[in-house]
Amino acid sequence: MKLAESFYIRRNVTTIARQLLGKILTTKINNLITGGMIVETEAYSYKERGCHAFKGRTQRNEVMFEQGGKAYVYLCYGVHEMFNVVTNKTGKADAILIRALEPVSGIEIMQDRMGVNSSKRITSGPGKLTRALGIDRKLNGEELKKNIIWIEDKGIQIKQTAIVRSARIGIDYAGEDALLPWRFTIKGNKWISK
DNA sequence: TACGTGATCACG
DNA sequence: GTGATCACGTAA
């Protein structure tokens, strides 16, 4: 069952980031279905320096200021498309970066998109999973309740004791906010990014 | 450890 | 307009 709109709003972004672990992210692009279980997330809030929305609204981060339940997709280092889930109410620009998936659906399609013959590590990183699932900036602002990109709850429960908190990756520019333990992973899962 | 890659943003 | 920077991935 797709996550309800209420899942994405009126709750702490860190709570939502934790609860996204074990949920299934799926895309239907060019009529091809691909998807995987979320095993690594990072929370970002407009209140802290790690977040694209910290300094206010810009052309790139505009969708972050909209109501939760949409995709925020941007290009990183000129090469990698990055997929985030927008959360919180209109004007409260929170988002969660999806950093790694465990492949579930359309594994051959994902291998083709990655140009490899094995499923090994095809979705273990934020730039890789978007490529495997066919996600790019055309999906920026897309509503997750529609049938192009969505997140489902298939009843998989991740115990609190199986969740690891750590500092977020690659945001040294955020100063002391880079130390916030806002990265969530499923303990021992082999699909976590390196 | 180094660097490709091109959009973005803060300057003026 | 311009230049530094960047929520990565791969090669070495």
Side-chain angles (χ1 to χ4, degrees), chain A residues 2 25-35 109 113 133-135 139 142 146-150:
Chain A
K2 274 180 201 171
L25 173 65
T26 309
T27 59
K28 184 175 179 184
I29 310 281
N30 298 328
N31 223 32
L32 300 173
I33 292 183
T34 50
I109 297 163
R113 288 180 179 145
L133 269 63
I135 297 168
L139 296 189
E142 191 65 34
K146 292 166 71 177
N147 290 320
I148 301 174
I149 181 166
W150 65 92

Side-chain angles (χ1 to χ4, degrees), chain A residues 5 8-9 46 53 57-72 85-95 139-143:
Chain A
E5 196 165 43
Y8 300 107
I9 59 178
Y46 65 98
R57 197 182 290 256
T58 68
Q59 193 167 24
R60 178 176 68 166
N61 68 26
E62 198 175 344
V63 67
M64 291 183 74
F65 289 82
E66 296 180 22
Q67 172 151 285
K70 293 181 178 173
Y72 167 47
V85 177
V86 175
T87 70
N88 216 330
K89 294 180 286 184
T90 303
K92 309 286 189 186
D94 292 348
L139 296 189
N140 189 41
E142 191 65 34
E143 294 185 20

Side-chain angles (χ1 to χ4, degrees), chain A residues 20-116:
Chain A
L20 279 173
L21 296 175
K23 302 294 189 290
I24 309 294
L25 173 65
T26 309
T27 59
K28 184 175 179 184
I29 310 281
N30 298 328
N31 223 32
L32 300 173
I33 292 183
T34 50
M37 183 178 76
I38 298 169
V39 302
E40 177 177 350
T41 61
E42 281 178 1
Y44 289 87
S45 166
Y46 65 98
K47 295 175 186 169
E48 49 86 20
R49 304 195 71 87
C51 183
H52 286 168
F54 178 72
K55 293 177 186 169
R57 197 182 290 256
T58 68
Q59 193 167 24
R60 178 176 68 166
N61 68 26
E62 198 175 344
V63 67
M64 291 183 74
F65 289 82
E66 296 180 22
Q67 172 151 285
K70 293 181 178 173
Y72 167 47
V73 185
Y74 70 94
L75 187 69
C76 183
Y77 295 105
V79 183
H80 309 288
E81 310 280 346
M82 306 286 273
F83 168 69
N84 298 252
V85 177
V86 175
T87 70
N88 216 330
K89 294 180 286 184
T90 303
K92 309 286 189 186
D94 292 348
I96 297 161
L97 173 66
I98 306 301
R99 287 191 57 89
L101 303 175
E102 177 172 326
V104 172
S105 309
I107 294 176
E108 285 191 17
I109 297 163
M110 294 195 280
Q111 289 177 187
D112 286 348
R113 288 180 179 145
M114 300 303 282
V116 297

Side-chain angles (χ1 to χ4, degrees), chain A residues 113-125:
Chain A
R113 288 180 179 145
M114 300 303 282
V116 297
N117 288 317
S118 150
S119 65
K120 193 178 178 200
R121 301 190 71 73
I122 49 174
T123 51
S124 57

